[in-house]
Structures are given as structure tokens and as C-alpha cells.
């Protein structure tokens, strides 16, 4: 008779509760009457091999942290949904989910705690969807959701439940509570959908559009969403930052900062960045900076700006001894090599470090608090000044402020622009200004757009003002040193 193999599970002894896996390879045996009597062959334990194959199979399908399907498996199921829609005319929806405020948790209490938060949010999301739906972790704090056989209206209701449940969720660690939210972009999977790459890209863009509108919400993009098409076209034109640098399509502009109290001998200006697209149209930072951050290219931009300003300082500003403020991202703040890069630049350019001021936003400073302290102290030892930008726009905390040795505190323009008519905003600006002065910091009011606002700021003893009432943005380009 032919050889036959089978796997049998049995106990190794009466006292062992956990079974082992065996492989039996042999031939079946019968007696003279043809009655089956069993197998004769070799019995081999394969418990370790079996468990390893099970582990490999699991890891190939599921994310080890959240227990959700992983990116590879999600892509397969998305492909199945697209094919099913093409063949049978079914309608489903694809959702791209991005967790809001996760980076603050990760950076303030550590990645292990951040991992725990991701796992808990994944369980929360899983509870809100139907058994037939596919929820996967795409990477980092981003998730994908396929709502099968669902109309856009029903899918929107499911997404609203997800948003509300995450919004009311409180993550607690060592008596500290963190609030998180979730932003969703949703697109239909239609019989006309070409491929899974296309539909996933559109869902990602829809999620970005949802963030632009204020986060913690859903943006539904239909098949003919003109605004999404325009954003996709813009991203395609400016996503290759390396090519932009090679083609010298970045350029710098400046906006003056004026003293409101007494006579300020040293002029002051903020350096801002602009970009020409391939057709020569000017692109604002609000359009290309988020793309650079998303694709990990923001540090290239930071280095180009700092290098261009330092190497061309004398050409741009001559003998004015201008104090120039340059914005930095959190990525550069966290890069140990960036400190050496700046030190080397300043030494080689032979300029006074007191002429340079780096600006970091309040949100970046808090999200990278430990790195911010190290970087600021290293730069201040050189003589470089520091400004904390957009203070009052988000999670303002005077406790954090006390631990950051900055020279200037820039009061968020959203508060400043309404101080003439809004007593509450005026009171907040007054409080921020007083606390900053107690900490030996000078204050700069942003978005100053008329003379009445200037007078109010003078009454509050704010030190400096910046905005169109002070001076317009002008281009810096003469004598620019090009970098290869």
C-alpha cells in the first residue's frame, strides 16, 4: 500500500496538559481478512516546527502590536474589494484614519507608552466596526478601513461613531491623562475604480483635506472631487524636494519686526521660504511644508534655509547688523548632527552668531521638549538667540515655558488680531506678555494689521510687532550663493 503521512495531536503523559504535535509517516496495516489494524512507520515530534510555521503565518498577516491585519494583508484585501466591485458592481468604501496628538504622547512619555496607546485605540476602533469590515494598521499611527457593501451615507455614520468614541477616550499613564482624536478621509470603491493604489492614494489625500479643515472629522471625497484632484496635482509637482533644490526653485523673503518701546538699535526681520513650481507659480509654505514633513524631507529644507542665510548674510544685509529669525522644524531639532552643522556654518561664514535667531513653534518645542532643551542650550553657548513661535495657539503651558531658555516669545496672531474688539483675547495677550517679562523674555506680537492694534500693544507694553501694519514681505535674492 502507498505511504501515507498525517499529523496527530496527543498528550505526552497523563500529567501534562499541554499537547504536542507529531508527524506520522508510514503505511496502513490490515490483517488477512482485510481489516484495518493501524499504521506502521515513524512517529516524530514536530511541535517546534509547527509552532514556528504558525507564528510565521500570523506575522505575515497581522500587526504584532495592535493585532490588526498588517499593511501587506490590508493591500491584498483592498485589491479583492476593488476586483469584486469591478466584476459584480458592488459598492464599498475605503477610509484612511490618522490618529491626532499621538506624537505628543510618543515624545513626552516615550515610545513604549505610545505603543500601549496604539494598541488600546486599535481595540476601540475594532469594537466600532462590523465583523465583515477590514481594519488594518498601515504604519505608525495610521489605519485603513474597508467598509464592505456599504453606501457612503452608512459609511459616514460608522466613521462618525469612530471619531466620537476616540474623542471621548482618555488614555491614562502614571496619573496623567492624554486626549487623542482621529481624522478620517473616505472615498468610495466603485466599479469604475481602476486599482487599489489609486483608491488608497485618494483616501490618503481626503484624510489630509480633513486635517486642513480642522482635524477630528471626516472628509468624504467623491469620484469627481475637483479639490482633491487639484491637491493631488500640487503634491505631484512639489513632492520631489530634492529636485526642487537642484533646480534652485526655493527662494527667501523677509518681513520686518519693529520695536514698540524705546529705540531699538538693531533691526530685526523674520526670514520666510517660498517655492516656484515647474510653471513658475509661487507656492506658499502651507502647501509644501506638510508634504515635506510627511515624506521626511523637511530637514533638507531646514538645512538649505540656514545655509543660504548664513553664507549670504553679508550680501543680504550688508552692514546693518540685522537680527534674522529662521524657522526650524522638530525633525532638525531632534537631529544631533544639526548642531554640528550649524556650528560649522557659522565658523566658516565668519559672522557674529548674535545676528541669528532660530524660531521653533510652541507645539514643536513641547513635542520635542528634551531635544529642544539640548539644542537651545548648545546654540545659546554660541551666541545664537531663540524665539518661541505661535505661543497661545495650542497647548500653552507656562510650566513648559519656564524650562525653555528662549529670548523672544512670539504671541500667536490669532489672539493679537482681535485685541481691539475682544476683551478676552486682550486679557490673554496681557497675561502672556507679563509672564514673559517676568522670565526675562521679550515679546513679539504677530499678525499686526492696523494702527489700532499697534496702539493696543503699546498700552500692554508688548516689545515688538510683526505684520502688514509694520512692513510687507519682500524678496531676498541679490547675490544669492547657489549650493550644489
Amino acid at each position: 500500500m502507498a505511504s501515507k503521512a498525517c499529523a496527530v495531536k496527543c498528550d505526552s503523559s497523563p500529567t501534562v496538559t499541554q499537547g504536542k504535535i507529531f508527524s506520522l509517516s508510514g503505511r496502513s496495516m490490515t490483517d488477512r481478512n482485510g481489516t484495518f489494524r493501524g499504521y506502521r512507520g515513524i512517529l516524530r515530534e514536530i511541535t517546534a516546527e509547527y509552532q514556528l510555521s504558525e507564528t510565521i503565518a500570523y506575522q505575515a498577516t497581522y500587526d504584532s502590536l495592535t493585532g490588526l491585519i498588517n499593511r501587506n494583508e490590508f493591500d491584498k484585501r483592498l485589491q479583492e474589494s476593488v476586483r469584486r466591485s469591478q466584476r459584480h458592481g458592488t459598492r464599498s468604501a475605503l477610509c484612511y484614519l490618522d490618529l491626532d496628538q499621538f506624537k505628543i504622547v510618543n515624545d513626552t512619555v516615550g515610545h513604549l507608552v505610545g505603543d500601549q496607546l496604539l494598541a488600546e485605540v486599535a481595540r476601540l476602533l475594532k469594537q466600532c466596526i462590523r465583523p465583515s469590515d477590514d481594519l488594518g494598521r498601515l504604519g505608525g499611527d495610521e489605519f485603513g478601513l474597508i467598509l464592505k457593501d456599504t453606501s457612503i451615507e452608512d459609511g459616514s455614520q460608522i466613521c462618525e461613531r469612530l471619531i466620537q468614541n476616540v474623542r471621548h477616550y482618555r488614555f491614562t499613564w502614571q496619573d496623567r491623562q492624554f486626549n487623542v482624536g482621529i481624522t478620517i478621509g473616505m472615498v468610495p470603491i466603485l466599479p469604475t475604480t481602476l486599482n487599489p493604489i489609486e483608491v488608497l492614494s485618494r483616501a490618503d489625500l481626503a484624510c489630509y483635506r480633513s486635517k486642513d479643515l480642522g482635524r477630528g472629522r471626516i472628509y468624504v471625497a467623491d469620484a469627481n472631487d475637483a479639490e482633491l484632484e487639484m491637491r493631488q496635482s500640487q503634491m505631484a509637482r512639489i513632492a520631489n524636494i530634492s529636485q526642487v533644490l537642484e533646480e534652485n526653485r526655493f527662494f527667501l523673503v523677509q518681513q520686518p519686526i519693529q520695536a514698540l518701546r524705546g529705540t531699538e538699535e538693531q533691526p530685526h526681520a523674520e526670514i520666510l521660504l517660498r517655492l516656484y513650481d515647474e510653471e513658475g507659480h509661487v507656492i506658499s509654505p502651507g502647501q509644501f511644508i506638510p508634504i515635506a514633513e510627511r515624506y521626511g524631507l523637511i530637514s533638507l529644507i531646514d538645512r538649505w534655509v540656514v545655509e543660504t542665510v548664513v553664507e549670504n548674510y553679508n550680501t543680504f544685509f550688508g552692514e546693518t547688523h540685522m537680527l534674522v529669525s529662521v524657522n526650524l522644524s522638530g525633525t532638525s531639532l531632534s537631529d544631533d548632527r544639526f548642531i554640528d552643522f550649524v556650528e560649522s556654518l557659522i565658523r566658516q561664514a565668519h559672522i557674529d552668531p548674535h545676528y541669528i535667531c532660530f524660531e521653533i513653534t510652541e507645539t514643536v518645542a513641547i513635542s520635542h521638549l528634551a531635544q529642544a532643551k539640548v539644542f537651545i542650550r548648545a546654540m545659546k553657548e554660541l551666541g545664537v538667540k531663540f524665539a518661541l513661535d505661535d505661543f497661545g495657539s495650542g497647548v500653552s503651558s507656562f510650566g513648559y515655558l519656564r524650562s525653555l531658555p528662549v529670548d523672544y516669545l512670539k504671541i500667536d496672531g490669532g489672539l493679537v488680531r482681535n485685541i481691539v474688539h475682544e476683551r478676552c483675547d486682550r486679557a490673554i495677550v496681557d497675561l502672556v506678555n507679563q509672564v514673559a517679562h517676568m522670565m526675562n523674555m521679550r515679546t513679539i506680537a504677530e499678525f499686526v494689521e492696523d494702527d489700532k492694534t499697534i496702539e493696543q500693544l503699546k498700552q500692554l507694553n508688548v516689545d515688538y510687532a510683526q505684520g502688514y501694519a509694520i512692513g510687507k514681505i519682500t524678496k531676498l535674492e541679490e547675490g544669492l550663493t547657489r549650493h550644489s
Side-chain angles (χ1 to χ4, degrees):
M1 294 185 181
S3 176
K4 184 176 182 179
C6 64
V8 182
K9 187 174 182 180
C10 62
D11 291 331
S12 57
S13 69
T15 59
V16 177
T17 57
Q18 186 173 1
K20 293 185 178 181
I21 309 299
F22 292 90
S23 172
L24 175 61
S25 178
R27 293 185 299 173
S28 59
M29 305 296 295
T30 58
D31 58 17
R32 292 179 179 179
N33 298 321
T35 304
F36 174 73
R37 295 299 184 184
Y39 290 97
R40 174 178 291 174
I42 299 173
L43 186 69
R44 184 173 66 89
E45 183 187 349
I46 59 167
T47 306
E49 293 93 326
Y50 181 84
Q51 291 175 342
L52 178 61
S53 65
E54 289 288 297
T55 300
I56 293 173
Y58 180 87
Q59 291 176 343
T61 305
Y62 294 95
D63 174 59
S64 60
L65 176 62
T66 62
L68 304 177
I69 59 174
N70 58 25
R71 175 62 185 266
N72 186 56
E73 181 65 19
F74 185 85
D75 288 344
K76 291 179 181 178
R77 298 191 187 187
L78 177 58
Q79 188 172 28
E80 290 174 4
S81 294
V82 171
R83 287 176 179 172
R84 186 164 167 263
S85 180
Q86 291 171 341
R87 292 172 180 173
H88 306 291
T90 58
R91 291 175 176 260
S92 300
L94 172 64
C95 305
Y96 202 104
L97 291 69
D98 187 272
L99 198 60
D100 301 324
Q101 304 301 324
F102 172 71
K103 186 170 179 57
I104 291 180
V105 178
N106 229 15
D107 291 339
T108 55
V109 295
H111 290 273
L112 291 178
V113 180
D115 287 349
Q116 182 183 338
L117 169 61
L118 279 177
E120 291 189 16
V121 169
R123 285 194 291 271
L124 183 65
L125 296 175
K126 191 72 174 176
Q127 294 170 3
C128 300
I129 62 175
R130 305 165 303 177
S132 60
D133 299 327
D134 290 322
L135 177 65
R137 184 185 179 202
L138 304 183
D141 59 348
E142 297 174 337
F143 302 88
L145 173 62
I146 303 171
L147 300 171
K148 297 179 179 178
D149 301 318
T150 306
S151 66
I152 290 297
E153 292 75 17
D154 291 342
S156 297
Q157 292 179 5
I158 295 174
C159 289
E160 289 293 347
R161 284 202 304 271
L162 292 173
I163 291 170
Q164 292 301 321
N165 286 354
V166 174
R167 181 177 295 158
H168 294 133
Y169 166 71
R170 297 293 179 270
F171 177 70
T172 304
W173 181 79
Q174 291 189 353
D175 298 326
R176 296 180 62 183
Q177 278 197 345
F178 296 90
N179 300 337
V180 292
I182 200 158
T183 299
I184 303 177
M186 183 167 71
V187 296
I189 301 175
L190 304 173
T192 54
T193 299
L194 297 178
N195 56 66
I197 297 176
E198 174 207 21
V199 71
L200 187 61
S201 175
R202 290 182 62 81
D204 187 10
L205 287 170
C207 185
Y208 257 81
R209 178 59 182 153
S210 186
K211 290 179 185 178
D212 291 341
L213 295 173
R215 295 179 179 268
R217 59 190 298 162
I218 177 176
Y219 180 82
V220 180
D222 60 35
N224 301 310
D225 195 314
E227 192 164 356
L228 210 64
E229 294 293 342
M230 181 182 70
R231 186 177 181 91
Q232 190 169 23
S233 176
Q234 287 178 338
M235 288 185 70
R237 289 202 306 267
I238 64 181
N240 192 345
I241 299 299
S242 299
Q243 182 179 346
V244 172
L245 289 169
E246 291 176 3
E247 296 174 356
N248 293 313
R249 288 196 274 120
F250 281 125
F251 66 97
L252 300 176
V253 297
Q254 66 170 336
Q255 186 172 40
I257 298 172
Q258 179 178 298
L260 298 177
R261 300 195 300 155
T263 302
E264 184 69 21
E265 296 181 358
Q266 185 180 24
H268 191 173
E270 180 179 1
I271 306 302
L272 304 167
L273 183 65
R274 299 291 185 267
L275 163 66
Y276 289 120
D277 67 12
E278 292 177 342
E279 285 76 38
H281 303 117
V282 176
I283 307 296
S284 70
Q287 293 176 283
F288 64 82
I289 292 297
I291 298 172
E293 291 176 334
R294 176 169 179 77
Y295 292 103
L297 298 169
I298 189 64
S299 60
L300 290 177
I301 293 178
D302 283 349
R303 285 175 176 256
W304 184 88
V305 173
V306 174
E307 186 175 14
T308 302
V309 169
V310 171
E311 291 189 354
N312 293 277
Y313 180 89
N314 292 325
T315 301
F316 286 151
F317 309 108
E319 300 299 324
T320 62
H321 306 306
M322 177 83 74
L323 174 62
V324 293
S325 293
V326 178
N327 294 278
L328 294 181
S329 68
T331 302
S332 295
L333 208 65
S334 303
D335 186 354
D336 295 336
R337 298 167 297 178
F338 194 72
I339 295 176
D340 296 332
F341 170 75
V342 174
E343 290 178 343
S344 176
L345 270 180
I346 292 176
R347 282 196 303 269
Q348 293 175 13
H350 303 293
I351 69 167
D352 189 338
H354 291 88
Y355 298 163
I356 305 296
C357 177
F358 285 135
E359 287 191 15
I360 54 175
T361 65
E362 174 197 11
T363 303
V364 164
I366 292 175
S367 300
H368 303 77
L369 189 59
Q371 300 98 317
K373 290 178 182 178
V374 172
F375 186 81
I376 292 174
R377 285 172 183 146
M379 291 296 101
K380 287 181 75 67
E381 286 180 4
L382 286 177
V384 174
K385 293 181 172 64
F386 260 88
L388 190 62
D389 197 10
D390 294 340
F391 192 83
S393 62
V395 288
S396 306
S397 170
F398 291 118
Y400 285 117
L401 186 61
R402 191 166 53 242
S403 64
L404 293 170
V406 299
D407 302 280
Y408 299 94
L409 188 66
K410 300 190 75 172
I411 306 171
D412 182 63
L415 296 171
V416 173
R417 62 156 55 103
N418 296 319
I419 62 172
V420 174
H421 306 290
E422 296 290 341
R423 294 175 59 189
C424 181
D425 288 352
R426 187 177 190 276
I428 295 173
V429 171
D430 187 22
L431 175 62
V432 171
N433 186 62
Q434 291 184 48
V435 172
H437 286 168
M438 284 189 286
M439 296 180 179
N440 296 316
M441 301 174 187
R442 285 178 284 182
T443 51
I444 302 172
E446 301 179 296
F447 293 8
V448 180
E449 298 176 351
D450 54 58
D451 292 337
K452 290 182 178 180
T453 303
I454 293 176
E455 289 304 314
Q456 287 286 330
L457 293 169
K458 287 180 177 179
Q459 291 178 22
L460 296 176
N461 293 320
V462 173
D463 298 296
Y464 299 88
Q466 178 182 359
Y468 286 111
I470 302 300
K472 294 183 178 180
I473 294 174
T474 57
K475 187 176 180 180
L476 290 173
E477 60 180 356
E478 294 79 9
L480 179 62
T481 299
R482 301 296 184 184
H483 307 295
S484 59

